[in-house]
Amino acid sequence: MPIPRPRVGLMVTCLNDALFPDTGRAVVSLLRRLGVDVEFPAAQTCCGQPMVNTGYLDEAVPLVRNHLDAFAGYDAILAPSGSCAGSVRHQHGLVARRSGDPGLIRGVESAPPVYELSEYLVDVLGVVDVGAYFPHRVTYHPTCHSLRMLGVGDRPTRLLRAVRGLTLLDLPGSGECCGFGGTFAVKNSETSIAMGNDKARHVRSTGAEVLVAGDNSCLMHVGGLLSRQRSGMRVMHLAEVLAQTEPVVERRTERAADPTSVGSAVPDATTEAVR
C-alpha cells in the first residue's frame, strides 16, 4: 500500500502575501519537488502577532479562532517566517488562556503543529540536500525569532551548504538583531536604522553577492539600507534559494551554444537525413 503524502497547509504570512509573493511560490515549488502535498487555505488571515506584541490580546482572539478553522485537518502548518511561526507556537496558547474559553484552549492544544521552513525540511522530511543549485556567494542572517524563539540553530546553514554551486560566507556579528522588530522600527526609528546600518556593514564586509534570511521583514529592512548604500547586493528568502535548480537545456541549438556541454555537437545534414 502506498504511503500517503503529507498534507501541509502553507501559512504564507501577511507580509509575504502583500509584498513578497515569490516566497510563497518558492515554498510551494520546493515542497512539491520533495513530494509534499501543499495547499494554501484561502481563509487564512493574520496570525495576531502585532496585537499580542502591543498588548492587545483580546483583539487577537478572533484571529486565533480563524487560524484554527483555516488550518483544521492538515498534518502540519508551514510558515516561511520564524516570526509568525513563533507567534502561533508560543502566543496562541497565551491568547487562548487569557480569553478564558475552554473550547479555544482545547482547540489551540490540538491544532496541527506549525513549523518554520528549515525545521520542516530537516526535522520532519529529514532532508538537507533538497536538490538546489545556486552558483553565487551567499551570507546568511539568522533572524531573532528563528534564532531565539524557535531555536532553529544551524538548520538553515546546513541546507545552504548542501546547495550545489553556492559558497556560504560567515557573517560577522550574525547573532545581532538587524533592528527591524516590527513596531520597534516605527516607534524607535533612529535606533532601528543605526542597528540596521551595523548589520548592513557586516553584510558588505563578507563580499557576498546575496544576503539570505528566513524572514522577509528583516530582509526588507536590511535590503532597503543596502539599496540606499548602492551596495549592488540583493536579498533573498531562504525558500527562494532552495527552490532554484539547474537549468534544463531542451533544444539542440541551446546545447550547441555551449561547446563544453554534453550533446553540444550539432548533427550534420547526412545524420539528419538518415533520421
Side-chain angles (χ1 to χ4, degrees):
M1 178 179 293
I3 300 175
R5 291 151 59 102
R7 184 166 173 257
V8 169
L10 171 61
M11 178 182 147
V12 76
T13 80
C14 301
L15 189 71
N16 289 329
D17 187 39
L19 298 178
F20 304 102
D22 285 347
T23 296
R25 295 189 186 102
V27 172
V28 172
S29 175
L30 173 62
L31 292 186
R32 287 180 175 169
R33 194 171 79 213
L34 296 173
V36 177
D37 183 7
V38 57
E39 298 176 5
F40 173 80
Q44 65 183 283
T45 59
C46 175
C47 64
Q49 183 180 183
M51 295 76 171
V52 177
N53 287 354
T54 48
Y56 294 92
L57 273 69
D58 293 344
E59 282 74 8
V61 169
L63 299 175
V64 174
R65 294 189 192 281
N66 183 77
H67 173 88
L68 296 176
D69 291 339
F71 290 97
Y74 286 99
D75 297 315
I77 302 168
L78 190 151
S81 163
S83 181
C84 297
S87 172
V88 174
R89 191 182 298 175
H90 296 286
Q91 294 182 338
H92 278 197
L94 178 65
V95 172
R97 290 190 295 273
R98 168 71 176 265
S99 75
D101 182 344
L104 185 59
I105 295 173
R106 288 194 298 272
V108 170
E109 291 175 345
S110 60
V114 60
Y115 298 95
E116 180 268 350
L117 175 63
S118 69
E119 289 181 315
Y120 187 78
L121 295 175
V122 175
D123 297 346
V124 180
L125 296 185
V127 298
V128 174
D129 184 350
V130 298
Y133 173 74
F134 192 70
H136 297 284
R137 299 189 308 278
V138 166
T139 192
Y140 175 77
H141 166 58
T143 63
C144 290
H145 282 96
S146 66
L147 187 68
R148 287 179 258 277
M149 180 179 278
L150 298 180
V152 301
D154 65 352
R155 294 175 183 82
T157 52
R158 289 167 62 193
L159 290 162
L160 288 172
R161 287 195 174 93
V163 175
R164 280 179 282 284
L166 187 149
T167 301
L168 184 62
L169 302 167
D170 291 336
L171 176 64
S174 60
E176 297 174 7
C177 176
C178 71
F180 179 65
T183 55
F184 176 82
V186 178
K187 295 179 178 177
N188 304 277
S189 58
E190 292 184 359
T191 304
S192 173
I193 292 172
M195 295 171 70
N197 278 326
D198 284 344
K199 181 64 67 176
R201 175 169 52 81
H202 288 314
V203 170
R204 294 181 66 173
S205 73
T206 66
E209 302 167 82
V210 184
L211 170 65
V212 173
D215 279 272
N216 273 325
S217 53
C218 302
L219 289 175
M220 180 174 66
H221 181 57
V222 182
L225 293 167
L226 290 171
S227 176
R228 287 175 177 81
Q229 296 170 6
R230 301 182 185 277
S231 68
M233 296 183 66
R234 55 178 168 150
V235 299
M236 290 179 70
H237 191 281
L238 176 65
E240 295 173 55
V241 173
L242 299 181
Q244 302 277 327
T245 56
E246 292 189 68
V248 176
V249 179
E250 297 179 343
R251 293 182 300 180
R252 181 176 293 122
T253 53
E254 292 176 346
R255 293 199 302 271
D258 182 355
T260 64
S261 66
V262 176
S264 62
V266 179
D268 57 27
T270 303
T271 305
E272 290 293 290
V274 171
R275 293 179 180 174

